């Protein structure tokens, strides 16, 4: 099997993915395979509630999953999702959702961008702060210790993202994305080398460029519609990316990256961009 | 006449250009029109030697000009350049060659990037340092005071560059380029908004983006050939731009921009890039 096919196989099946992460010593939420209603009940008995029931394949942006808060939620979740292979995961009371984007070169060299913090709204990524507020060398090292063994195991080449939950300073891996990732779009303006450039460098066998951040950045997704263009462009340090897509409810049609010398000076510009984006889009 | 046509007319004729600059109160080297041999001798009598004889139209990269160091050089220069309209300029004993790139929006707003220092080799731009070493607020203001009245006079829209000589801290305008300019290529990685993005913003009537520098940058032209790609890409903060041109002696076929947090940390990377570029190209 070609390494890129293996990475797709692994990432397309949440059960395979989490099993491999555990075998590599990377922490995840406790989980169980669910193939029928008895195995769901057995999984709940082991993991307890709250828990999250997910399809093993095909979900994104919060689709294909249901949170089980109490025993009364189980029937509805089963009738919504049952019939395809599922996975039940213990609900993780995370403090923040983080992700780390990394690139692995043909020669096995790995470079990681700073850990970022992601905020979701209605299951869709709304905001990425880069670097994540409060990230220090220890947390960066922990995050890299999650993604590096995975990339090596897969003999991966190119850019990959790993979503992480921060639970009291301990990182649990949630989901990998074997590609350039939305939470890495800030690197276009916010890092010395963007995830796109380094992906190309990697697959071409070229030396990787520096993944260091340049100041502080935030990336705001435009969901369902674009904000007022001139107003966004007038915000200091704001860069508007228009994907040229037809607007549709819940669809990412662009993003705005805000960059500044440091996190404090970023804040007013970010507030203004959030206001403009919220005024125009789904909410 | 459309403003863009007027800007071209002015910039394509060194005599018109310098005359307008002087009328706007912008300092230039003293000059005289030269249309025949008697007027050349008269101009030399007024301006003295050394002086530079240039074609009024069509020169670039040091072509179409000759330096007259002593009376003995005049015959050779005249036989090389005579027969077309010329201009004689007093030789300026400059300390450094600077340039300022500015952008003027449809509504007349002007934004200027930091003044840069240019180093030429054999009449061709080799190196741009951005910002120029030693530039301070006063020098920046002086340079802006040279280009702003010119852009307003021309009712210019878009990016324009003005080359300047620094003579003991006094700036003399040498030549305008009514377009994005080689000495502004560093803005792609080295400024919050590149000259290319701001040119498009300007002609589209959009708000201009910040022209502030991000750290310190240097741009090295690749003349006659490209340097070793992997070696350049391995230099921290180096960004290689390959124009996809056929290499030819004296032809700019690419450039490398080096960026770092400050001028001191830029220096080792720049030295390495210069070494690589010099090893591969015309010299």
């Amino acid at each position: 099997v070609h390494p890129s096919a293996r990475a797709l196989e692994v990432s397309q099946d949440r059960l395979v993915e989490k099993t491999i992460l555990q075998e590599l010593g990377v922490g995840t939420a406790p989980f169980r395979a669910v193939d029928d209603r008895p195995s769901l009940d057995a999984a709940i008995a082991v993991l307890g509630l709250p828990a999250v029931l997910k399809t093993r394949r095909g979900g994104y942006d919060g689709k294909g999953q249901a949170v089980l808060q109490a025993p009364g939620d189980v029937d509805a979740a089963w009738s919504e999702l049952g019939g395809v292979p599922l996975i039940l995961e213990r609900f993780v009371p995370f403090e923040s959702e983080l992700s780390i984007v990394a690139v692995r070169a043909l020669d096995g060299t790995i470079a990681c961008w700073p850990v970022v913090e992601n905020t979701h709204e209605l299951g869709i990524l709304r905001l990425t702060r880069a670097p994540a507020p409060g990230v220090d060398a220890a947390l960066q090292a922990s995050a890299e210790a999650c993604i590096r063994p995975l990339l090596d195991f897969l003999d991966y080449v190119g850019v990959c993202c790993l979503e992480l939950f921060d639970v009291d300073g301990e990182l649990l891996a949630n989901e990998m994305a074997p590609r350039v990732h939305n939470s890495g779009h800030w690197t276009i303006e916010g890092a010395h080398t963007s995830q796109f450039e380094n992906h190309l460098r990697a697959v071409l066998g070229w030396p990787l460029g520096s993944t260091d951040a340049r100041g502080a950045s935030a990336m705001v997704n435009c969901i369902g519609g674009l904000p007022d263009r001139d107003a966004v462009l007038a915000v200091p340090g704001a860069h508007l990316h228009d994907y040229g897509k037809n607007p549709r409810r819940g669809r990412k049609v662009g993003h705005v990256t805000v960059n500044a010398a440091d996190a404090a000076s970023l804040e007013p510009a970010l507030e203004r961009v959030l206001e403009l984006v919220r005024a125009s889009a789904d909410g």
Side-chain angles (χ1 to χ4, degrees), chain A:
Chain A
V1 181
H2 189 275
S4 60
R6 188 158 53 155
L8 279 177
E9 269 176 29
V10 170
S11 66
Q12 284 172 352
D13 187 318
R14 294 176 200 280
L15 182 67
V16 175
E17 181 180 45
K18 287 224 157 54
T19 304
I20 286 172
L21 285 165
Q22 287 217 324
E23 281 171 7
L24 293 169
V26 177
T28 69
F31 62 91
R32 284 291 183 283
V34 171
D35 295 311
D36 47 31
R37 183 59 196 262
S39 62
L40 173 57
D41 294 331
I44 292 172
V46 173
L47 300 174
L49 294 183
V52 188
L53 187 63
K54 300 177 176 178
T55 58
R56 283 173 54 179
R57 303 179 71 90
Y60 72 99
D61 283 353
K63 296 182 175 71
Q65 52 181 275
V67 177
L68 312 183
Q69 296 284 1
D73 297 336
V74 177
D75 284 345
W78 179 253
S79 64
E80 186 192 335
L81 299 175
V84 296
L86 301 172
I87 180 174
L88 188 73
E89 301 174 6
R90 183 178 292 163
F91 184 83
V92 175
F94 56 81
E95 285 166 41
S96 60
E97 292 180 273
L98 307 175
S99 62
I100 184 163
V101 178
V103 57
R104 188 169 179 273
L106 264 178
D107 67 2
T109 308
I110 292 175
C112 299
W113 283 270
V115 172
V116 301
E117 181 183 284
N118 301 314
T119 306
H120 290 80
E121 292 177 3
L122 302 173
I124 304 175
L125 181 64
R126 165 60 85 189
L127 171 65
T128 295
R129 288 174 184 269
V135 67
D136 57 11
L139 190 69
Q140 179 73 27
S142 297
E144 295 196 13
C146 294
I147 197 168
R148 285 174 179 273
L150 180 63
L151 298 185
D152 284 336
F153 170 78
L154 295 169
D155 196 15
Y156 192 85
V157 175
V159 166
C160 185
C161 176
L162 186 63
E163 295 181 11
L164 301 162
F165 294 129
D166 178 357
V167 186
D168 268 332
E170 189 197 356
L171 297 182
L172 298 181
N174 180 38
E175 183 173 314
M176 70 175 281
R179 49 177 170 80
V180 292
H181 190 258
N182 197 171
S183 71
H185 286 359
W186 66 275
T187 58
I188 297 171
E189 294 89 4
H192 281 283
T193 314
S194 79
Q195 62 171 352
F196 301 97
E197 178 171 340
N198 259 343
H199 183 77
L200 292 174
R201 289 196 191 204
V203 299
L204 290 165
W206 294 5
L208 301 177
S210 163
T211 49
D212 289 349
R214 306 180 70 184
S217 299
M219 190 279 316
V220 180
N221 271 332
C222 305
I223 302 166
L226 287 172
D228 180 80
R229 188 195 60 217
D230 285 10
V232 169
L233 292 178
V235 177
H239 297 268
L240 175 63
H241 296 259
D242 176 350
Y243 302 161
K245 288 178 170 179
N246 290 324
R248 196 170 63 209
R249 188 165 173 77
R251 189 181 210 194
K252 295 171 189 162
V253 296
H255 74 267
V256 181
T257 299
V258 193
N259 180 269
D262 51 47
S265 53
L266 183 70
E267 221 43 41
L270 173 57
E271 286 306 312
R272 175 72 178 136
V273 166
L274 281 169
E275 185 185 341
L276 291 166
V277 166
R278 291 219 162 91
S280 64
D282 284 1

